[in-house]
Amino acid sequence: MKQNTDTFYTAVTGGTIAGVAYLFGGVDHLVIALAIFMACDYVTGIIAGFQTKSVNSKRALKGLGKKGAMLSLVIIANQLDIIAGSGNGFMRNSMIFFLIATEGISLVENLGKIGVDVPDFLKSRFEQIKNNKGE
Protein backbone atom coordinates (compact mmCIF):
# COMPACT_ATOMS: atom_id res chain seq x y z
CA MET A 1 0.00 0.00 0.00
CA LYS A 2 1.49 3.32 -1.08
CA GLN A 3 1.18 6.26 1.26
CA ASN A 4 0.72 9.62 -0.42
CA THR A 5 1.83 12.69 1.51
CA ASP A 6 2.18 16.23 0.37
CA THR A 7 5.77 16.97 1.36
CA PHE A 8 5.53 20.68 0.57
CA TYR A 9 2.52 21.11 2.88
CA THR A 10 4.25 19.05 5.59
CA ALA A 11 7.46 21.06 5.29
CA VAL A 12 5.66 24.43 5.42
CA THR A 13 3.47 23.40 8.35
CA GLY A 14 6.35 21.87 10.30
CA GLY A 15 8.62 24.83 9.58
CA THR A 16 5.95 27.31 10.67
CA ILE A 17 5.29 25.46 13.92
CA ALA A 18 9.03 25.16 14.63
CA GLY A 19 9.54 28.86 13.90
CA VAL A 20 6.70 29.92 16.19
CA ALA A 21 7.98 27.62 18.95
CA TYR A 22 11.44 29.16 18.61
CA LEU A 23 10.09 32.73 18.74
CA PHE A 24 8.10 32.00 21.91
CA GLY A 25 11.01 30.21 23.57
CA GLY A 26 9.26 26.87 23.33
CA VAL A 27 5.74 25.78 23.97
CA ASP A 28 5.56 25.04 27.68
CA HIS A 29 2.86 25.23 30.33
CA LEU A 30 3.14 29.03 30.58
CA VAL A 31 2.56 29.60 26.87
CA ILE A 32 -0.34 27.15 26.89
CA ALA A 33 -1.85 28.86 29.96
CA LEU A 34 -1.51 32.26 28.27
CA ALA A 35 -3.22 30.94 25.13
CA ILE A 36 -6.07 29.50 27.22
CA PHE A 37 -6.51 32.76 29.15
CA MET A 38 -6.51 34.74 25.89
CA ALA A 39 -9.07 32.45 24.25
CA CYS A 40 -11.35 32.47 27.32
CA ASP A 41 -11.11 36.25 27.59
CA TYR A 42 -11.96 36.71 23.91
CA VAL A 43 -14.91 34.32 24.03
CA THR A 44 -16.31 35.81 27.26
CA GLY A 45 -15.83 39.29 25.79
CA ILE A 46 -17.95 38.36 22.80
CA ILE A 47 -20.59 36.75 25.05
CA ALA A 48 -20.62 39.88 27.23
CA GLY A 49 -21.05 41.96 24.08
CA PHE A 50 -24.10 39.95 23.15
CA GLN A 51 -25.47 40.26 26.69
CA THR A 52 -25.14 44.05 26.66
CA LYS A 53 -26.11 44.27 22.97
CA SER A 54 -22.84 46.03 22.19
CA VAL A 55 -21.13 43.40 20.06
CA ASN A 56 -19.23 45.04 17.23
CA SER A 57 -16.95 43.53 14.59
CA LYS A 58 -14.52 46.47 14.84
CA ARG A 59 -14.21 45.98 18.61
CA ALA A 60 -13.74 42.23 18.12
CA LEU A 61 -11.01 42.84 15.53
CA LYS A 62 -9.39 45.39 17.84
CA GLY A 63 -9.40 42.73 20.58
CA LEU A 64 -7.65 40.28 18.29
CA GLY A 65 -5.10 42.97 17.46
CA LYS A 66 -4.43 43.46 21.16
CA LYS A 67 -3.92 39.71 21.58
CA GLY A 68 -1.43 39.79 18.71
CA ALA A 69 0.42 42.69 20.32
CA MET A 70 0.56 40.78 23.60
CA LEU A 71 2.06 37.78 21.83
CA SER A 72 4.65 40.05 20.23
CA LEU A 73 5.64 41.19 23.73
CA VAL A 74 6.36 37.56 24.62
CA ILE A 75 8.49 37.21 21.49
CA ILE A 76 10.41 40.40 22.34
CA ALA A 77 10.96 39.29 25.94
CA ASN A 78 12.25 35.92 24.71
CA GLN A 79 14.65 37.62 22.31
CA LEU A 80 15.89 39.85 25.15
CA ASP A 81 16.59 36.71 27.18
CA ILE A 82 18.56 35.30 24.25
CA ILE A 83 20.53 38.53 23.85
CA ALA A 84 21.25 38.74 27.59
CA GLY A 85 22.40 35.14 27.59
CA SER A 86 20.10 34.11 30.41
CA GLY A 87 19.24 30.49 30.00
CA ASN A 88 16.40 30.57 32.51
CA GLY A 89 13.99 32.74 30.47
CA PHE A 90 13.35 35.23 33.28
CA MET A 91 12.11 38.10 31.11
CA ARG A 92 9.93 35.82 28.97
CA ASN A 93 8.36 34.15 31.99
CA SER A 94 7.81 37.49 33.74
CA MET A 95 6.10 38.88 30.65
CA ILE A 96 3.88 35.81 30.38
CA PHE A 97 2.92 36.05 34.07
CA PHE A 98 2.07 39.73 33.62
CA LEU A 99 -0.06 39.02 30.54
CA ILE A 100 -1.85 36.14 32.29
CA ALA A 101 -2.67 38.53 35.13
CA THR A 102 -4.07 41.19 32.78
CA GLU A 103 -6.06 38.56 30.88
CA GLY A 104 -7.37 37.26 34.21
CA ILE A 105 -8.54 40.74 35.22
CA SER A 106 -10.34 41.14 31.91
CA LEU A 107 -11.81 37.65 32.20
CA VAL A 108 -13.21 38.38 35.68
CA GLU A 109 -14.70 41.66 34.39
CA ASN A 110 -16.31 39.86 31.44
CA LEU A 111 -17.73 37.16 33.69
CA GLY A 112 -19.21 39.88 35.92
CA LYS A 113 -20.89 41.47 32.89
CA ILE A 114 -22.34 38.10 31.91
CA GLY A 115 -23.68 37.55 35.43
CA VAL A 116 -21.42 34.70 36.51
CA ASP A 117 -20.50 34.76 40.20
CA VAL A 118 -16.74 34.85 40.60
CA PRO A 119 -15.31 33.79 43.99
CA ASP A 120 -14.29 36.73 46.16
CA PHE A 121 -10.75 35.46 46.68
CA LEU A 122 -10.23 35.44 42.91
CA LYS A 123 -11.67 38.93 42.47
CA SER A 124 -9.53 40.30 45.28
CA ARG A 125 -6.32 38.75 43.90
CA PHE A 126 -6.88 40.17 40.44
CA GLU A 127 -7.87 43.55 41.91
CA GLN A 128 -4.68 43.49 43.98
CA ILE A 129 -2.66 42.87 40.81
CA LYS A 130 -4.58 45.58 38.97
CA ASN A 131 -4.00 48.16 41.73
CA ASN A 132 -0.27 47.37 41.99
CA LYS A 133 0.42 47.49 38.22
CA GLY A 134 2.02 50.89 38.08
CA GLU A 135 3.89 50.76 41.36
Side-chain angles (χ1 to χ4, degrees):
M1 182 164 135
K2 183 179 175 187
Q3 183 175 356
N4 187 7
T5 59
D6 185 0
T7 53
F8 178 73
Y9 172 76
T10 304
V12 169
T13 304
T16 301
I17 291 170
V20 169
Y22 169 76
L23 290 174
F24 285 115
V27 179
D28 58 358
H29 293 295
L30 278 177
V31 172
I32 293 169
L34 177 61
I36 290 170
F37 268 74
M38 288 178 141
C40 289
D41 177 49
Y42 189 74
V43 169
T44 57
I46 290 176
I47 293 170
F50 278 116
Q51 291 273 332
T52 59
K53 294 180 177 51
S54 64
V55 74
N56 184 339
S57 61
K58 284 186 180 181
R59 284 181 55 195
L61 187 60
K62 184 178 175 185
L64 284 178
K66 284 183 179 181
K67 305 290 184 216
M70 289 176 179
L71 292 176
S72 69
L73 287 174
V74 175
I75 293 170
I76 291 167
N78 181 54
Q79 294 305 307
L80 289 173
D81 275 332
I82 292 170
I83 292 168
S86 73
N88 60 2
F90 174 76
M91 288 183 256
R92 170 194 174 265
N93 293 346
S94 299
M95 181 59 68
I96 292 173
F97 279 125
F98 171 76
L99 293 174
I100 286 173
T102 58
E103 290 295 300
I105 292 167
S106 178
L107 184 61
V108 168
E109 290 172 352
N110 289 341
L111 290 173
K113 290 176 186 175
I114 295 171
V116 175
D117 288 331
V118 179
D120 289 334
F121 76 91
L122 199 57
K123 283 183 194 176
S124 65
R125 294 300 177 257
F126 281 127
E127 281 299 319
Q128 186 179 20
I129 292 170
K130 187 176 183 178
N131 293 335
N132 292 332
K133 250 192 216 180
E135 296 174 8

